[in-house]
């Protein structure tokens, strides 16, 4: 009986991994994905432990981007609050782990921090969705909550702002957070450098595959239905408020896990995680990679953060300007994001051929640019190429 049921269960998981709500469902995709994972696993062996430790931050951010992709890309709810849950979990982890001390304190702090972030997302989501907050007002409210947290944490510099033996520190933050460890004294393991990189990579892989299964399940179909038309979904008998609350809470938990890993990566937490700049960056990640693509959100994160790191070293004053240019270019030329754009381009060239495809692509890009210029009040005729002198004389 067990032998007959196991293949059926695996077949169900395989169907959800390759469902219509995710990009990359072919055998070629999974071969390329496996090759990519092998390359990422081998990265510390090629570049060394220090480079792997630095790169692990991009993977931590990938979890944060994945949480935004679920709530925004698949449910249509733009949220600036992911960094709020990210920061809440990071601060909670720091306070609990430093008060309890040792590997046991860190082991206890991990689930506590994620639980606090999850509860925070549930409470905020409940009051928003059951309070009738919709559309752009969700984005505004989540941004306000994030900025309120920044303002509050920034003024906690006094000695009276302490929880147990841990000073909140205001702008100075909480230093001295230990590297990630699990277990108890005498039976524990600590992760840093390559070990931490592999651990975060494993968590990101599990989260990504789990998210693929989720969005291709009946619950995922409901999310997409809400994104496309929430009122019609309600008319069909679905409890839209409850579904929104569930996915908002889940995304808050994922963002909280990312915040815990961030705190252990940098050994530090401060109010900068609640700033408007950091609240906006995940939206850029997801927009660049493709907000309707889980893998695109992760790829966009790695690309942007790699480039931001380069700019911070070589031209720090242009880092934010560069991010803005990337966002504008993506919205203008590849509005669905890089990975969906690559998929659409492949399908397009397969149908029309290279020559016709290039010509149609050129016309499409030109039309989009003219449309954008007209939206700014610039007539399309003003952007046309002026006639030659011979034509003028005629």
């Amino acid at each position: 009986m067990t032998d007959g049921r196991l293949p059926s269960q695996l077949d169900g998981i395989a169907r959800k991994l390759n469902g219509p709500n995710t990009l990359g469902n072919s055998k070629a995709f999974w071969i390329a994905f496996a090759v990519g994972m092998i390359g990422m696993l081998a990265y510390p062996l090629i570049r060394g432990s220090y480079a792997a430790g630095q790169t692990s931050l991009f993977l931590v951010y990938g979890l944060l981007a994945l949480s935004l992709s679920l709530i925004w890309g698949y449910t249509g709810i733009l949220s600036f609050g992911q960094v709020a849950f990210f920061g809440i979990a990071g601060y909670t982890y720091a306070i609990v782990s430093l008060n309890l001390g040792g590997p046991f304190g860190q082991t206890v702090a991990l689930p506590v921090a994620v639980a606090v972030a999850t509860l925070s997302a549930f409470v905020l989501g409940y009051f928003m969705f059951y309070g009738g907050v919709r559309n752009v007002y969700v984005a505004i409210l989540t941004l306000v909550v994030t900025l309120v947290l920044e303002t509050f944490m920034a003024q906690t510099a006094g000695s009276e702002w302490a929880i147990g033996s841990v000073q909140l520190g205001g702008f100075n933050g909480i230093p001295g957070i230990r590297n990630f460890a699990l277990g108890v004294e005498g039976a524990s393991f600590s992760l840093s450098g390559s070990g931490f990189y592999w651990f975060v990579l494993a968590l990101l892989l599990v989260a990504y595959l789990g998210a693929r299964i989720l969005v291709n399940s009946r619950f995922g179909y409901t999310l997409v239905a809400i994104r496309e038309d929430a009122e019609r979904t309600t008319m069909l008998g679905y409890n839209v408020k409850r579904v929104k609350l569930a996915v908002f809470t889940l995304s808050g938990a994922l963002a909280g896990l990312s915040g815990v890993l961030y705190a252990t990566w940098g050994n530090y937490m401060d109010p900068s995680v609640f700033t408007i700049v950091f609240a906006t960056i995940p939206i850029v990640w997801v927009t660049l990679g493709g907000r309707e693509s889980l893998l695109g959100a992760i790829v966009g994160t790695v690309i942007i953060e790699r480039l931001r790191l380069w700019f911070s070293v070589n031209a720090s004053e242009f880092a934010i300007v560069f991010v803005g240019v990337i966002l504008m270019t993506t919205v203008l030329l590849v509005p669905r994001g890089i990975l969906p754009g690559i998929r659409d381009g492949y399908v397009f060239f397969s149908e029309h051929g290279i020559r016709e495809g290039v010509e149609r692509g050129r016309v499409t890009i030109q039309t989009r640019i003219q449309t954008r210029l007209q939206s700014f009040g610039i007539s399309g005729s003003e952007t046309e190429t002026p006639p030659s002198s011979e034509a003028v004389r005629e």
Side-chain angles (χ1 to χ4, degrees):
M1 180 177 179
T2 302
D3 294 338
R5 187 172 61 184
L6 185 58
S8 176
Q9 293 174 343
L10 293 177
D11 183 61
I13 293 175
R15 284 199 305 269
K16 290 179 180 178
L17 282 172
N18 293 289
N21 287 334
T22 48
L23 296 179
N25 300 320
S26 65
K27 184 177 180 180
F29 166 80
W30 287 111
I31 292 174
F33 183 81
V35 171
M37 286 302 304
I38 292 172
M40 294 189 70
L41 286 170
Y43 180 80
L45 305 177
I46 300 171
R47 295 296 305 277
S49 181
Y50 177 79
Q54 296 300 309
T55 304
S56 61
L57 176 62
F58 307 152
L59 304 182
V60 169
Y61 286 156
L63 285 170
L64 181 61
L66 203 60
S67 75
L68 180 61
S69 181
L70 282 175
I71 189 68
W72 183 32
Y74 284 88
T75 320
I77 301 172
L78 177 58
S79 170
F80 287 87
Q82 301 311 108
V83 297
F85 312 130
F86 178 95
I88 287 172
Y91 266 99
T92 302
Y93 179 85
I95 292 168
V96 175
S97 63
L98 291 176
N99 272 299
L100 294 180
F104 174 74
Q106 293 176 280
T107 303
V108 172
L110 173 61
V112 170
V114 174
V116 170
T118 305
L119 180 61
S120 301
F122 176 83
V123 172
L124 177 60
Y126 179 83
F127 283 106
M128 285 196 306
F129 302 128
Y130 283 87
V133 180
R134 300 172 60 188
N135 302 327
V136 70
Y137 298 104
V138 173
I140 294 173
L141 185 56
T142 52
L143 179 60
V144 168
V145 169
T146 303
L147 296 181
V148 166
L149 286 171
E150 180 199 8
T151 302
F152 174 77
M153 296 307 300
Q155 56 87 44
T156 57
S159 58
E160 69 275 13
W161 293 100
I163 300 177
S165 61
V166 179
Q167 297 281 341
L168 297 183
F171 279 115
N172 294 324
I174 303 177
I177 303 171
R178 296 184 178 182
N179 291 336
F180 188 79
L182 290 174
V184 295
E185 293 293 345
S188 64
F189 64 92
S190 178
L191 297 175
S192 62
S194 299
F196 185 71
Y197 170 89
W198 283 318
F199 178 74
V200 177
L201 179 62
L203 288 180
L204 183 59
L205 176 62
V206 171
Y208 168 67
L209 296 178
R212 282 186 70 108
I213 293 173
L214 177 69
V215 299
N216 287 312
S217 66
R218 293 184 61 183
F219 182 78
Y221 293 145
T222 307
L223 297 183
V224 175
I226 292 172
R227 181 190 69 196
E228 298 301 324
D229 195 330
E231 293 184 359
R232 180 173 294 182
T233 306
T234 302
M235 292 175 59
L236 291 173
Y238 292 92
N239 190 330
V240 170
K241 294 178 180 179
R242 185 171 62 188
V243 174
K244 285 183 176 180
L245 177 59
V247 71
F248 191 78
T249 304
L250 176 62
S251 69
L254 201 56
L257 177 60
S258 178
V260 169
L261 297 173
Y262 174 82
T264 60
W265 175 84
N267 308 121
Y268 179 76
M269 281 299 296
D270 74 322
S272 65
V273 297
F274 300 119
T275 60
I276 190 170
V277 173
F278 192 58
T280 306
I281 285 296
I283 295 174
V284 179
W285 299 337
V286 175
T287 301
L288 177 66
R291 67 188 182 96
E292 298 175 16
S293 169
L294 298 171
L295 184 59
I298 299 172
V299 171
T301 301
V302 174
I303 292 174
I304 289 292
E305 290 308 306
R306 274 289 185 189
L307 293 173
R308 284 183 70 201
L309 177 62
W310 185 90
F311 269 93
S312 66
V313 173
N314 297 281
S316 59
E317 64 274 16
F318 297 110
I320 296 299
V321 176
F322 166 77
V323 171
V325 170
I326 287 292
L327 178 61
M328 292 177 60
T329 305
T330 301
V331 171
L332 180 63
L333 301 180
V334 195
R336 295 189 62 198
I338 290 177
L339 290 195
I342 292 174
R343 193 277 308 271
D344 294 344
Y346 174 78
V347 173
F348 185 77
F349 284 110
S350 297
E351 293 177 354
H352 300 285
I354 300 296
R355 180 174 296 180
E356 183 182 356
V358 170
E359 178 60 24
R360 290 195 179 196
R362 184 189 66 80
V363 173
T364 300
I365 292 174
Q366 183 179 0
T367 303
R368 286 177 179 172
I369 292 175
Q370 290 179 350
T371 301
R372 292 293 179 180
L373 291 175
Q374 289 173 2
S375 68
F376 288 107
I378 302 175
S379 173
S381 60
E382 298 177 9
T383 63
E384 294 177 354
T385 304
S388 63
S389 58
E390 291 79 3
V392 172
R393 283 194 297 269
E394 291 177 1

